[in-house]
Amino acid sequence: MRTRPIIPRKRLRTALLATAAVLLAACGGNPTRPEAPAPVQAPPPELKVGLALGGGAAKGFAHIGVIKMLEANGIRVDTVAGTSAGSVVGALYASGMDPFAMQQKAVALDESSIRDVRLFSGGLVQGRALQDYVNAQVEGRPIDRLPRPFAAVSTQLETGKRTVFVRGNTGQAVRASSSIPGVFEPVAIAGRHYVDGGVVSPVPVDAARQLGADFVIAVDISTKARGTAPSDMLGIVNQSIAIMGQRAGAEELSRADVVIRPEVATIGPADFEQRSAAILAGERAALAALPSIRAKLAELSVARTRDHQARHEREQREAARLACLQQEPGRIARLLNREPDCDAAGASASN
């Protein structure tokens, strides 16, 4: 008679557990985990282009030429900030006025209509006429109701601090931004007095960033010291302001993505009869800057898309990991006392 081999009890128990595990798995004891739904990838947000228009009195007509060429070549401006003369052009542009309409108004502008001289006050010009002119052009809308986000930069006389107007009376903010010390009376607003923004921010790059711009095009028309003294009072004051704000202005200007510098050195701050020449200078400078603007916009767009994709992949990994943590472990995992590897699940979600 043939005898059967005796199987040790320990081996028999191990074999039975293994068999049970196989049977449980076959019967759905360790169900397949549903995959976490992948987050829908939204397209990266469009870049917001901001325009920072500097001060320069009559040279400010050059801003109109710059805007004309940017629009004609498909560069859409989303926000605009202005200092002094730049705030005048910026307010009209932010109101929805197109650059050709601005040019027509500039050509037809009677300088005396925005100059209200008043003797024996804090300045030769009161500035109320300029305020009324701007408000008429923007149809009386306050800054925060203009179609395009706008900021006017001024200097608070009591503290010397930069003030950025982004709400309230549009004409009054422009007047405050344009009140050249010694020429215009300081503007009183809510118990404070304000003078030309060129003292602290000749080209308001930072204000354009504050409005949400990702890419800032700055237009610098400021007066540069050329070894000779201006002969008229407005020229002296204008150059003095430029010298005072030169260092701070250079630092702020370095934070722009592109700087456009129209050739307006021969145009004096009071040379309103050269408005057409200033507009033409702005057009030429903007055209020359277009290759740089396009190249840098494309570079920033690629970087933005890459960052957006990386963020989306991180969100996918986190969603998979959280879904894994919320699932109950299968019976086999419980039997073997094993927890699911949710970190691995998250890592595989983005592959």
Side-chain angles (χ1 to χ4, degrees), residues 10 35 76 126 147 186 188 207 239 251 279 293:
K10 187 175 182 180
E35 293 185 1
R76 190 190 69 188
Q126 184 182 9
Q239 184 155 313
E251 291 177 2
I279 293 171
I293 292 172

Side-chain angles (χ1 to χ4, degrees), residues 9 172-173 192 254 266 329:
R9 184 177 294 178
Q172 189 179 49
R192 297 284 184 174
S254 69
T266 59

Side-chain angles (χ1 to χ4, degrees), residues 91-113:
L92 269 57
Y93 186 44
S95 74
M97 192 180 297
D98 68 72
F100 291 95
M102 286 194 291
Q103 181 171 353
Q104 291 177 343
K105 289 183 179 295
V107 172
L109 178 65
D110 180 4
E111 184 190 352
S112 63
S113 66

